[in-house]
């Protein structure tokens, strides 16, 4: 440990760029180099995606995003043609289903954990729920194939069909593989994100809000609903975007249960395809136009997750600015 | 760094050094012949411990892409490369047939343990989505006495680029003009309906788990997993069961393969021929710069074409190559520089 | 009590019970997932699986031994490459960065973190597999490190920022240069959190499948070479889960149990290290 010399160096303020000397300069340059690597790699990634999708961007233009044709094999009656719509549809439908289930469930659980449960239980249960977020996607897929798919095929889907089969979204054969099963599996995977982030958003609402409401005679629920949640709203919405971002990029668990059909099918029982799944299945064999089409799908997926992540960050930043920290 | 860490690193380095001295060759491609290839590559390594041929079964399409992009040392495919595909490869690949195999329609219909009979029209109708239920007249007509359920048929096809798909759709194109016009034959096609799964394994696995399902897999996948598979009526009008004998008959009654060994033997005319039979090929580059790799590949090909090795195919329900093809292939080995 | 009050009370009871039910469902889901895996994995556990190489169809036996070593090798590669880069980038963000560049790098790190792993797989294939003329553990490690770097950078930054000002000022007041202060005082002070972030990051990438499919689809033999493709637990699970044979299923369950066990142990120990309940970056 260096001992102070007779002449103490002046206390340095936060250094302005370029005014560091000796070891500090080296340290800054070194760490800056690695930080810039992140920038370089990401730019390289986007450039690669852009370049390798050149063929389809030139051939189909923006029509690629609205075309529902996905035909690798050109025949006399149908040329080789690609379009992103079935996959955008499948991605959106499964993500929507996932959120439809996990948002009410997750926000409800978050309210319970933040408002009602004693702190020890709340921390313990949250810890366990957050462990669910660490389970790899392929393991969800493994479990889903042997447990969820058969249950959907033999019990859940026929049950829904019996009652609501007149609706187009609940029509058709029930095989267990399809949008609904994929949505259900995704909901389990997105649940921990909703719970974890919403709980923190709720916890960061100042105590005074609750105390004021309760002092005015509100019930616990009224205090939560009218006084606390409005403040936590932004954070909760942020958690939804975070969960959505995860759902959009999910590959393995989805491709094992969605049935892999590159069409837009109305019924939730029917098979579909997502952006990530089609890339996983078809990229190893794809050449030329087909390969460019898949890379363009990757670009679309990238843009989608980028937009959603940005929204999530925005919400969470706005919340932490609003709230004044935990009670 | 503790002593244990050092020991661990040393062991890791030793393992690294030991295996690095072995000649590693990477091949990728079809799942159709995966059972026999894994067996052969394993045996070859056991006999020649310095050569490890690692085979990744990613589908014929993946094999063809691999040889085109140069990401594999050689590839495997049940779909022969087209002239256009060959033209796209810098170093021209040679086709080496390895075995003959058959594709079967395997099914899981509760109550129908075995012996389902399917005509070409029935099969085409099922996969076109026109024959929707198991007790449809097109199926029932040939299966009198079998109790077929009044359930929807759940078709399973390949979601990855597959030579098995190519052979099956090649057959369907020959027996169904509608199929030929609208869908065609390729390693990936636009299926009217059904679930897509990756690899022969995926299709067989899904069928095993799902009642009232049907799909196309290589014979061994059905046999090994005790899945029922249908008898079919061939071009000669006879009902045939899939086996290495009927596959051999298909090869025997087909046109000769061209000089480069590319050719289809589906819908063969012989009375005992299995209608959905095929050769499967290894795609070997004409030039292998690395001398050790070249020797290893040539050694493997020579070993594989020996009668004893070819006979092993029978144990996994593949058929050995006809003798005349073997003789021509041995000549082709000399073309590898 | 007026009827309005009793309505309010009833609503309160109903809603609060409903939220409790939600929490119970959420926790039960976790237990069901884990329980199902443990049950099936436990049934399938077999010494043979851990010591044997895989075999083809129609042959008995077979195991996931080289999947375990392959995963270890690939994840180690990714960590050797990704952890130092992420750590140093995090140090930059926390200690040296100016406003605009810092914002840019943070935004890009979050962006890279959010890129779906399948897209990272495409990138790694294009950049490494094609140029190196083959699948390899290096390509797989590279792909995974791209996911590890942003996680590590952001969590390192976060935990360094939480080191109290007093420690920083004290070090500087004692005459330490900035880099010495960082190396000898600040980083050690934040080391618990930094290590936690690293452990969680490594646990996360060890479960990723999609990038591995394009860079290291599998390996039949014992082969430690970095220039050859390796088998790995996630890819084995994916392949065997969809296969037809019971033997394959058993191996998938056993592999799943091993993978999940490792991931959970890492997560639990990481969170125990940081026992103050700080929020972990997602």
């Amino acid at each position: 440990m260096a001992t102070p010399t007779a002449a103490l160096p002046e206390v340095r303020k936060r250094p302005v760029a370029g005014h560091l000397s000796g070891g500090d300069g080296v340290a800054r340059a070194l760490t800056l180099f690695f930080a810039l690597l992140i920038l370089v790699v990401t730019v390289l990634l986007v450039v690669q995606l852009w370049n390798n999708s050149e063929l389809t961007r030139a051939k189909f233009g923006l029509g690629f995003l609205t075309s529902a044709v996905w035909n690798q094999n050109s025949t006399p009656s149908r040329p080789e043609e690609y379009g992103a719509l079935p996959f955008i549809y499948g991605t959106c439908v499964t993500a929507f289903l996932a959120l439809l289930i996990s948002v009410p469930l997750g926000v409800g659980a978050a309210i319970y954990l933040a408002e009602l449960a004693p702190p020890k239980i709340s921390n313990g249960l949250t810890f366990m729920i957050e462990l669910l977020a660490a389970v790899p996607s392929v393991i969800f897929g493994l479990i889903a194939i042997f447990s969820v798919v058969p249950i959907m095929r033999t019990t859940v889907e026929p049950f829904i069909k019996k009652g609501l089969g007149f609706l187009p979204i609940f029509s058709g054969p029930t095989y267990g593989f399809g949008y609904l099963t994929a949505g259900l599996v995704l909901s389990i995977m997105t649940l921990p994100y909703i719970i974890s982030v919403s709980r923190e958003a709720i916890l960061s609402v100042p105590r005074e809000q609750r105390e004021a409401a309760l002092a005015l005679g509100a019930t616990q629920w009224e205090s939560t609903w009218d006084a606390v949640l409005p403040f936590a709203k932004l954070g909760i919405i942020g958690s939804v975007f975070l969960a959505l971002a995860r759902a959009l990029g999910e590959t393995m668990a989805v491709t094992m249960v969605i049935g892999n059909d590159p069409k837009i099918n109305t019924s939730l029982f029917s098979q579909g395809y997502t952006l990530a799944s089609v890339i996983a299945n078809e990229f190893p064999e794809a050449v030329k136009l087909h390969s460019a089409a898949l890379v363009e799908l990757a670009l679309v997926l990238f843009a989608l997750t980028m937009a959603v992540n940005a929204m999530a960050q925005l919400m969470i930043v706005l919340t932490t600015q609003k709230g004044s920290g935990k009670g | 760094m503790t002593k244990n860490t050092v020991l661990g690193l040393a062991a890791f380095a030793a393992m690294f050094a030991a295996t690095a001295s072995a000649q590693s060759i990477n091949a990728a491609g079809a799942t159709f012949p995966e059972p026999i290839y894994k067996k052969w590559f394993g045996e070859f390594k056991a006999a020649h411990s310095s050569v490890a041929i690692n085979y990744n079964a990613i589908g014929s399409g993946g094999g063809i892409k691999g040889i085109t992009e140069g990401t594999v040392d050689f590839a495997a495919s049940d779909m022969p490369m087209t002239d256009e595909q060959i033209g796209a490869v810098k170093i021209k690949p040679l086709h080496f047939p390895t075995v003959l195999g058959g594709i079967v329609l395997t099914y899981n219909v509760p109550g129908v343990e075995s012996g389902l009979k399917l005509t070409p029209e029935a099969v085409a109708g099922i996969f076109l989505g026109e024959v929707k239920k198991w007790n449809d007249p097109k199926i029932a007509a040939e299966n009198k006495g079998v109790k077929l359920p009044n359930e929807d048929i759940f078709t399973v096809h390949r979601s990855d680029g597959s030579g098995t798909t190519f052979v099956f759709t090649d057959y369907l194109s020959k027996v169904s003009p509608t199929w030929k016009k609208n869908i065609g034959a390729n390693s990936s096609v636009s299926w009217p309906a059904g679930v897509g799964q990756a690899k022969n394994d995926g299709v067989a696995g899904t069928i095993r788990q799902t009642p009232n399902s049907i799909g196309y897999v290589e014979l061994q996948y059905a046999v090994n997993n005790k899945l029922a598979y249908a008898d079919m009526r061939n071009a000669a009008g006879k009902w045939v069961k899939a086996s290495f004998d009927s596959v051999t008959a298909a090869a025997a009654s087909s046109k000769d393969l061209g000089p480069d060994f590319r050719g289809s033997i589906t819908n063969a005319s012989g009375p005992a021929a299995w209608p959905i039979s095929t050769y499967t090929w290894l795609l070997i580059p004409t030039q292998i710069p690395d001398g050790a790799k070249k020797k290893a590949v040539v050694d493997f090909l020579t070993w594989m074409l020996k009668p004893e090795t070819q006979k092993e195919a029978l144990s996994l329900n593949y058929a050995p190559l006809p003798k005349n093809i073997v003789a021509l292939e041995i000549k082709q080995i000399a073309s590898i520089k | 009590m007026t009827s309005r009050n009793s309505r309010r009370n009833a609503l309160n009871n109903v809603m609060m019970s409903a939220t409790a039910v939600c929490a119970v469902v959420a926790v039960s889901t976790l237990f069901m997932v884990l329980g199902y895996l443990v049950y099936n994995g436990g049934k399938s556990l077999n010494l043979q699986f851990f010591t044997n190489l895989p075999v083809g169809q129609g042959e008995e036996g077979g195991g996931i031994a080289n999947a375990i070593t392959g995963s270890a090798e690939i994840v180690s590669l990714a960590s050797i490459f990704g952890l130092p880069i992420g750590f140093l980038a995090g140090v930059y963000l926390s200690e040296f960065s100016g406003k605009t560049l810092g914002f840019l790098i943070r935004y890009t790190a979050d962006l890279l973190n959010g890129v779906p792993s399948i897209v990272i797989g495409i990138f790694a294939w294009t950049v490494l597999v094609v140029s190196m003329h083959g699948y390899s553990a290096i390509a797989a490690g590279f792909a995974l490190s791209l996911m590890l770097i942003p996680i590590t950078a952001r969590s390192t930054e976060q935990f360094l920022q939480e080191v109290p000002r007093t420690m920083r000022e004290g070090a500087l007041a004692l005459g330490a240069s900035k880099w010495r202060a960082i190396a000898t005082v600040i980083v050690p002070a934040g080391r618990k959190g930094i290590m936690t972030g690293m452990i969680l990051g490594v646990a996360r990438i060890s479960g990723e499948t999609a990038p591995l499919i394009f860079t290291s689809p599998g390996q039949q033999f014992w082969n430690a070479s970095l220039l050859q493709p390796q088998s790995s637990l996630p890819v084995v699970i994916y392949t065997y889960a969809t296969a037809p044979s019971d033997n394959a299923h058993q191996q998938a369950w056993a592999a799943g149990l091993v993978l999940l066990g490792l991931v959970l142990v890492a997560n639990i120990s990481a969170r125990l290290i940081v026992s103050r309940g700080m929020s972990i970056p997602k």
Side-chain angles (χ1 to χ4, degrees):
Chain A
M1 184 88 173
T3 50
T5 59
L8 286 171
E10 50 188 18
V11 175
R12 296 194 182 102
K13 296 199 186 111
R14 189 183 178 82
V16 179
H19 288 258
L20 289 177
S21 54
D24 289 350
V26 171
R28 184 170 170 280
L30 186 72
T31 54
L32 172 63
F33 174 73
F34 287 113
L36 285 178
L37 267 186
I38 297 181
L39 213 54
V40 164
V41 159
T42 313
V43 167
L44 207 64
L45 180 85
V46 178
V47 164
Q48 280 282 346
L49 288 180
W50 185 259
N51 283 347
N52 290 344
S53 57
E54 168 67 39
L55 284 173
T56 41
R57 277 184 298 107
K59 185 160 185 191
F60 303 117
L62 280 177
F64 183 78
L65 296 173
T66 50
S67 163
V69 178
W70 188 261
N71 184 31
Q72 287 140 276
N73 184 31
S74 62
T75 58
S77 57
R78 302 165 68 192
E80 190 183 1
E81 194 186 329
Y82 299 103
L85 205 55
F87 313 101
I88 297 178
Y89 176 78
T91 306
C92 290
V93 165
T94 49
F96 175 71
L97 282 173
L99 292 180
L100 195 64
I101 300 172
S102 66
V103 170
L105 207 59
V107 174
I111 292 174
Y112 174 78
L113 290 170
E115 299 279 292
L116 284 192
K120 276 226 184 83
I121 295 188
S122 174
N123 286 336
L125 286 183
T126 311
F127 173 59
M128 290 200 281
I129 290 171
E130 283 176 354
L131 284 182
L132 206 55
V135 176
S137 168
V138 71
I139 290 186
F140 278 113
L142 170 67
I143 294 174
I145 284 192
F146 293 113
S147 60
V148 180
V149 169
I151 293 179
M152 294 298 282
R153 181 185 69 236
T154 53
T155 318
V156 176
E157 286 183 0
F159 178 72
I160 297 178
K161 191 169 174 187
K162 236 196 312 194
L164 299 169
F166 57 90
L167 292 170
I169 55 167
F170 292 126
S171 61
T174 59
Y175 293 131
F177 293 98
Y179 294 114
L180 194 59
T181 310
L184 185 61
V185 174
L186 276 180
S187 72
I188 302 176
M189 299 170 78
T190 52
L191 195 58
Y193 295 93
I194 309 243
I195 294 179
S196 178
V197 178
S198 297
R199 174 177 168 269
E200 284 184 23
I202 295 173
L203 282 177
S204 67
V205 172
R207 283 183 90 188
E208 293 75 41
Q209 289 293 322
R210 292 182 191 80
E211 289 171 355
L214 292 171
L216 285 171
T219 62
Q220 177 70 44
W221 172 251
E222 283 164 353
S223 150
T224 303
W225 185 255
D226 295 322
V228 174
L229 281 186
F231 281 83
K233 198 167 50 175
L234 281 177
I236 295 178
I237 297 178
S239 80
V240 173
F241 279 110
L242 208 64
L244 180 60
R246 166 117 205 235
L248 292 177
E250 256 319 312
T251 318
M252 307 319 300
V254 171
T255 195
M256 285 156 105
V257 302
I258 196 168
N260 305 325
D261 187 14
K263 292 198 205 62
I264 299 180
N265 291 314
T266 337
S267 167
L268 292 179
F269 297 150
S270 42
Q271 290 75 56
Y273 231 150
T274 62
L275 292 164
S277 306
V278 68
I279 296 173
N281 277 325
E282 298 192 2
F283 190 74
E285 60 140 344
V287 292
K288 296 202 209 127
L289 197 62
H290 187 195
S291 177
L294 290 171
V295 175
E296 194 170 345
L297 289 182
L299 207 53
V300 171
L301 184 58
F302 177 80
L304 266 178
T305 44
M306 185 169 125
V308 171
N309 266 314
M311 291 298 289
Q313 294 295 339
L314 188 65
M315 297 291 159
I316 294 178
V317 159
L318 286 178
T319 317
T320 39
Q321 279 178 359
K322 266 191 152 185
S324 56
K326 301 180 192 182
Chain B
M1 284 248 223
T2 65
K3 186 169 81 156
N4 287 334
T5 324
V6 173
L7 282 176
L9 285 174
F12 191 77
M15 190 170 71
F16 182 71
T19 52
S21 60
Q23 177 65 48
S24 276
I25 298 188
N26 279 300
T31 56
F32 180 96
E34 184 186 359
I36 186 68
Y37 285 175
K38 286 252 158 91
K39 185 178 161 83
W40 276 347
F41 293 141
E43 279 179 17
F44 191 70
K45 176 162 196 300
H48 307 70
S49 63
S50 60
V51 177
I53 304 180
N54 178 38
Y55 185 69
N56 282 309
I58 56 177
S60 301
I64 293 179
K65 180 172 177 174
I67 198 99
T68 313
E69 306 267 354
T71 53
V72 292
D73 294 316
F74 63 87
S77 170
D78 332 307
M79 180 168 97
M81 290 176 80
T82 61
D83 291 330
E84 194 193 334
Q85 285 171 326
I86 295 179
V89 187
K90 263 204 299 240
I91 302 178
K92 180 173 176 305
L94 296 167
H95 287 70
F96 279 87
T98 52
V99 284
L100 288 159
I103 294 175
V104 295
L105 276 311
T106 181
Y107 58 89
N108 176 351
V109 180
V112 185
E113 292 304 314
S114 64
L116 191 68
K117 290 188 158 72
L118 292 173
T119 61
E121 293 74 32
V123 175
I126 290 173
F127 283 90
L128 279 170
E130 291 165 358
V131 174
K132 293 200 208 286
K133 289 211 187 271
W134 278 107
N135 57 355
D136 186 292
K138 281 219 179 91
I139 305 177
E142 304 295 340
N143 291 285
K144 299 205 165 51
V146 177
K147 185 146 191 338
L148 292 164
N150 182 23
E151 297 284 352
D152 292 313
I153 302 181
F154 178 53
T155 60
V156 186
H157 54 258
R158 294 284 292 272
S159 59
D160 52 339
S162 158
T164 315
T165 300
F166 167 74
V167 177
F168 182 57
T169 51
D170 179 56
Y171 167 74
L172 286 177
S173 298
K174 288 183 181 167
V175 300
S176 163
T178 323
W179 188 278
K180 182 170 175 163
K181 174 158 166 274
N182 293 333
I183 303 181
N186 207 331
S187 57
S188 279
V189 298
S190 298
W191 297 92
V195 153
Q197 289 287 5
K199 309 190 193 185
N200 263 298
D201 260 338
V203 173
T206 305
I207 292 175
R208 186 158 176 247
Q209 297 253 73
T210 315
N212 302 313
S213 57
I214 186 170
Y216 57 93
V217 293
E218 196 280 327
L219 176 58
Q220 171 63 359
Y221 288 85
V223 170
N224 191 45
N225 297 295
K226 307 200 181 25
L227 291 170
Y229 50 98
D231 294 343
M232 291 187 67
R233 194 167 62 200
N234 63 12
K238 300 265 188 285
W239 288 100
V240 208
K241 194 164 157 47
S243 70
F244 44 72
D245 284 321
S246 51
V247 167
T248 310
S253 62
S254 287
K255 284 203 327 262
D256 275 337
L257 296 181
D260 53 4
F261 301 105
R262 294 186 289 161
S264 159
I265 57 173
T266 52
N267 211 30
S269 54
W274 177 250
I276 323 180
S277 304
T278 181
Y279 283 92
T280 184
W281 295 266
L282 286 181
L283 306 170
I284 317 269
T286 30
Q287 288 169 36
I288 304 179
D290 183 326
K293 268 194 191 163
K294 171 170 168 279
K295 177 170 187 309
V297 169
V298 166
D299 283 346
F300 174 75
L301 287 171
T302 319
W303 175 81
M304 180 203 68
L305 290 169
K306 288 206 275 203
E308 314 86 75
T309 324
Q310 282 286 309
K311 275 225 188 65
E312 289 181 7
L314 295 168
S315 66
L316 292 174
N317 294 297
Y318 297 92
L321 296 168
K323 296 228 167 42
N324 58 326
I325 303 276
V326 171
L328 289 170
E329 279 188 66
I330 293 179
K331 285 214 195 109
Q332 192 180 236
I333 296 182
S335 311
I336 304 174
K337 303 275 173 266
Chain C
M1 199 174 281
T2 66
S3 75
R4 185 158 174 277
N5 271 349
S6 57
R7 257 209 317 274
R8 287 170 59 206
N9 275 326
L11 180 66
N12 182 54
N13 291 336
V14 164
M15 294 313 290
M16 285 331 212
S17 314
T19 59
V21 165
C22 290
V24 165
V25 169
V27 174
S28 318
T29 315
L30 171 73
F31 281 116
M32 282 199 295
V33 164
L34 292 183
Y36 194 71
L37 182 61
V38 168
Y39 173 67
N40 280 298
K43 262 197 319 184
S44 317
L45 278 185
N46 191 325
L47 191 61
Q48 176 190 278
F49 288 153
F50 294 103
T51 52
N52 283 9
L53 289 174
V55 293
Q57 290 246 354
E59 301 193 43
E60 273 311 302
I64 55 172
N66 64 347
I68 298 176
T69 54
S71 262
E73 183 173 327
I74 294 175
V75 171
S76 303
L77 274 175
S79 306
I80 291 172
F81 191 63
L83 289 179
I85 295 182
F87 171 71
L88 288 171
V91 168
Y92 175 81
L93 284 175
S94 167
E95 305 299 315
F96 292 110
S97 69
K99 256 195 127 115
T100 28
L101 192 56
F103 170 76
L104 200 59
I105 294 177
R106 270 182 212 102
Y107 178 75
T108 312
D110 288 337
L111 190 65
L112 191 57
N113 192 21
V115 171
S117 58
I118 192 86
V119 177
I120 303 262
I122 293 185
F123 181 60
W125 186 86
T126 320
V127 164
L128 278 187
V129 175
V130 177
S131 53
M132 283 173 60
H133 295 292
Y135 303 118
S136 61
I138 290 184
F142 171 73
L144 291 184
S145 70
L146 288 181
M147 304 176 69
L148 191 54
I149 290 172
I151 306 175
T152 311
R154 291 295 259 135
S155 80
T156 301
E157 180 198 4
Q158 178 187 325
F159 287 106
L160 284 179
Q161 282 294 299
E162 288 185 5
V163 171
R165 276 194 95 194
T166 50
M167 294 197 81
R168 295 167 189 275
E169 290 173 354
L172 291 174
L174 282 171
S177 59
K178 192 168 169 75
W179 73 269
R180 259 189 181 275
I182 296 172
T184 57
V185 175
I186 302 175
V187 167
R191 75 177 179 286
K192 272 210 293 190
I194 295 174
M195 252 186 14
T196 304
M198 290 184 174
I199 295 176
L200 289 178
V202 170
R204 181 182 145 186
I205 63 162
S206 52
E208 288 291 339
T209 323
L212 297 180
I213 293 181
F214 299 153
T215 51
S216 178
Q219 174 65 249
Q220 256 174 288
F221 306 110
W222 285 116
N223 190 332
S225 170
L226 299 174
L227 298 171
Q228 294 294 322
Q230 298 298 330
S231 183
S232 57
L233 286 172
V235 172
V236 155
I237 296 173
Y238 177 56
T239 315
Y240 287 172
T242 47
S245 72
D246 285 328
N247 192 22
H249 296 166
Q250 280 188 300
Q251 292 184 51
W253 286 118
L257 194 58
V258 171
L259 182 60
L260 189 61
L262 290 173
V263 166
L264 285 187
V265 162
N267 269 274
I268 294 175
S269 27
R271 282 158 202 270
L272 287 179
I273 293 174
V274 182
S275 50
R276 273 167 58 201
M278 291 180 233
S279 78
I280 312 289
K282 307 263 175 298

